[in-house]
Amino acid sequence: MSKSKSKTVDWTHIASKFPIFKERPGYLFFDNASTTQKPKTVIDCLGNFYRRDCANAGRASYQMSTNLASAIENARARVSSFIGAKSGEVAFTSGATQSLNMVALGWGLKNLKDGDEILLCPDDHKSTVLPWYNLQDLLASFGIRIYIKTIPLHHEGDYDLSAIDALLSDKTRLLAMTHVHHLYGLDMEVDLVRKIVGDKVLISLDASQSVGHRRVDLGTLPVDFLSFSGHKMFASNAVGVLWTKPSIEASMHPVIAGGGSLKETGTQNIPAILSMVPAIDFIESIGIDAISERLSDLTRHLYFSLRQSVSGLEFSPGVDRCGCHRGFGIVSFRHESVSSSDIAFLLDSENIMVRSGDHCLGRKLQGDDYLRVSLHVYNTKDEIDRLVCVLASNLASTN
Ligand SMILES: Cc1ncc(COP(=O)(O)O)c(C=O)c1O
């Protein structure tokens, strides 16, 4: 990954690179953990493919086809260097969900034996959690029983590390975990988890909420699989990445058989893959460390403004409880008497978009009715102030 120095950025100018904000003046988009908006360069890349370059990639000998094959390899090289990997180690998928399922099916089906154990946290995203229960069912139908042991969350919102230590056994084969939590916004401390589980247990890391928000460098991240989506880092929908440690690659089985390679079968979403390049260009034009610092700064501003100005809020685990006040753009909370869905409707009537309702936690949480505000580089403190002002003037405390 290229080392970018933190630099002075004109943050007020960033939104102008995103056509949607010209189309919808005054709209505040605070649902960036769901998906990000797209810069014009990404939209142009998608349009150019269909307008100018549409062919299948590498299936034929004419230039338009061979050029596309080269463009895909260029995108692969670009994505790889962005995450500190080598080009051949990265496969394009349809998104993080497909990548995470490919780990469970491509590795798990081939390698797990009767009695083996998987560790995961049910408070992680469904896409991190459910592929392993699906695999458990599949293997059971062949008479192979695997056991899923669940890691509880610490009250702050990160994993209870002592529980991981206690759950570990000589049957533990893989631990599935998240890099930055999609609801609580915390860094889940991969290094500490690796220290506890040692070298023999594989780690599958869901980096959907960290890539594009903070530096993700496989040169230092001690994991065996890394999965993420393009659409949460300014690229198109329906493209994702699965990085597999080279030493494990040979032990994997194709999940879907057909033309292509082990992990990329059939005609891929070529324009979506190509859009990863302008998305990374955009991120690198600002600098990932500058983005990371900006997101922390915005998170703090959001958190402290809410605390100061809006009464009756209860914050979820995350920035409120960890005391570190280092955030990656996600703050979740609920009100003592007004449901989060009602608040979301109210905000929508003011053209402010936030997430409420089902947060895709791996288990159905009782009272999982948080309102999630998730930020990215085009958001500003003025926008946050408008959100806080609308909340403060509409939510009265019952105390
Ligand atoms: C942590 C996490 N993992 C996985 C996913 C699934 O991503 P996708 O729907 O792009 O496959 C999401 C999406 O919200 C997520 O936040």
Side-chain angles (χ1 to χ4, degrees):
M1 185 185 209
S2 61
K3 301 269 179 259
S4 62
K5 280 206 191 117
S6 286
K7 53 187 175 186
T8 311
V9 180
D10 177 6
W11 298 107
T12 54
H13 183 64
I14 302 282
S16 68
K17 297 179 191 289
F18 290 75
I20 195 164
F21 299 123
K22 284 193 196 106
E23 297 283 340
R24 292 179 175 272
Y27 277 70
L28 304 190
F29 188 74
F30 290 135
D31 195 18
N32 293 284
S34 241
T35 200
T36 56
Q37 298 302 335
K38 315 303 169 203
K40 182 174 181 301
T41 47
V42 164
I43 299 168
D44 287 348
C45 171
L46 295 170
N48 285 343
F49 174 81
Y50 289 113
R51 236 187 343 259
R52 199 184 63 193
D53 302 324
C54 185
N56 209 327
R59 299 282 201 268
S61 54
Y62 53 85
Q63 273 184 31
M64 248 169 69
S65 171
T66 54
N67 287 348
L68 282 173
S70 310
I72 289 179
E73 289 322 305
N74 174 48
R76 195 188 310 282
R78 203 61 208 289
V79 170
S80 304
S81 82
F82 184 59
I83 56 172
K86 296 208 180 70
S87 206
E89 299 164 4
V90 158
F92 288 115
T93 63
S94 67
T97 302
Q98 191 191 349
S99 303
L100 293 159
N101 274 277
M102 279 170 65
V103 176
L105 296 175
W107 173 82
L109 263 186
K110 181 114 183 265
N111 291 282
L112 291 176
K113 300 192 185 60
D114 204 46
D116 281 348
E117 295 169 359
I118 301 294
L119 299 187
L120 55 78
C121 174
D123 289 273
D124 278 337
H125 194 280
K126 278 188 167 69
S127 298
T128 314
V129 171
L130 298 189
W132 298 100
Y133 286 100
N134 183 42
L135 176 69
Q136 187 181 43
D137 286 349
L138 265 177
L139 287 172
S141 66
F142 303 129
I144 298 170
R145 273 174 312 158
I146 62 162
Y147 297 90
I148 295 175
K149 291 185 167 176
T150 56
I151 307 163
L153 282 190
H154 191 260
H155 76 281
E156 290 181 350
D158 50 5
Y159 301 127
D160 182 338
L161 297 177
S162 59
I164 297 181
D165 198 22
L167 289 168
L168 211 57
S169 85
D170 58 359
K171 297 277 186 193
T172 312
R173 300 292 308 283
L174 180 141
L175 183 146
M177 66 177 288
T178 299
H179 202 188
V180 170
H181 196 275
H182 69 288
L183 184 57
Y184 306 142
L186 284 190
D187 176 342
M188 304 305 265
E189 311 277 22
V190 193
D191 286 332
L192 296 179
V193 172
R194 171 55 83 198
K195 268 195 194 122
I196 293 168
V197 301
D199 288 342
K200 292 210 176 88
V201 175
L202 301 186
I203 295 181
S204 168
L205 186 67
D206 179 351
S208 304
Q209 300 292 351
S210 55
V211 174
H213 292 75
R214 54 170 291 181
R215 189 172 283 279
V216 173
D217 181 4
L218 285 162
T220 54
L221 261 184
V223 300
D224 302 281
F225 300 100
L226 186 92
S227 302
F228 58 97
S229 297
H231 72 97
K232 293 185 199 286
M233 48 167 286
F234 311 110
S236 168
N237 279 10
V239 58
V241 169
L242 171 60
W243 171 83
T244 309
K245 197 178 202 171
S247 54
I248 299 166
E249 183 79 36
S251 69
M252 291 184 73
H253 199 262
V255 175
I256 298 173
S261 63
L262 180 87
K263 295 198 202 120
E264 294 175 2
T265 326
T267 298
Q268 289 181 286
N269 193 335
I270 302 165
I273 291 173
L274 301 185
S275 78
M276 293 294 272
V277 174
I280 293 173
D281 285 345
F282 169 71
I283 292 168
E284 291 188 336
S285 72
I286 301 171
I288 190 65
D289 293 336
I291 290 177
S292 193
E293 276 165 33
R294 172 69 172 174
L295 286 177
S296 276
D297 189 31
L298 289 178
T299 311
R300 277 193 298 270
H301 184 73
L302 171 62
Y303 169 68
F304 287 117
S305 306
L306 286 168
R307 272 204 88 93
Q308 197 177 12
S309 309
V310 188
S311 50
L313 295 188
E314 178 214 324
F315 288 87
S316 78
V319 279
D320 183 60
R321 300 194 203 164
C322 72
C324 60
H325 303 310
R326 162 133 186 84
F328 300 95
I330 295 175
V331 178
S332 301
F333 54 90
R334 55 188 162 210
H335 188 259
E336 60 189 5
S337 56
V338 185
S339 79
S340 295
S341 309
D342 284 349
I343 300 173
F345 277 123
L346 165 84
L347 291 173
D348 187 43
S349 72
E350 299 277 341
N351 297 332
I352 301 176
M353 288 161 271
V354 297
R355 174 76 174 258
S356 64
D358 180 3
H359 288 285
C360 288
L361 294 169
R363 69 180 159 96
K364 204 79 211 128
L365 257 192
Q366 299 262 309
D368 160 30
D369 186 28
Y370 285 116
L371 199 78
R372 181 184 69 187
V373 179
S374 54
L375 310 165
H376 223 314
V377 280
Y378 32 67
N379 295 129
T380 62
K381 290 186 179 172
D382 285 349
E383 290 185 349
I384 292 171
D385 292 346
R386 194 175 129 208
L387 165 78
V388 172
C389 180
V390 171
L391 290 174
S393 51
N394 285 281
L395 297 177
S397 175
T398 49
N399 286 327

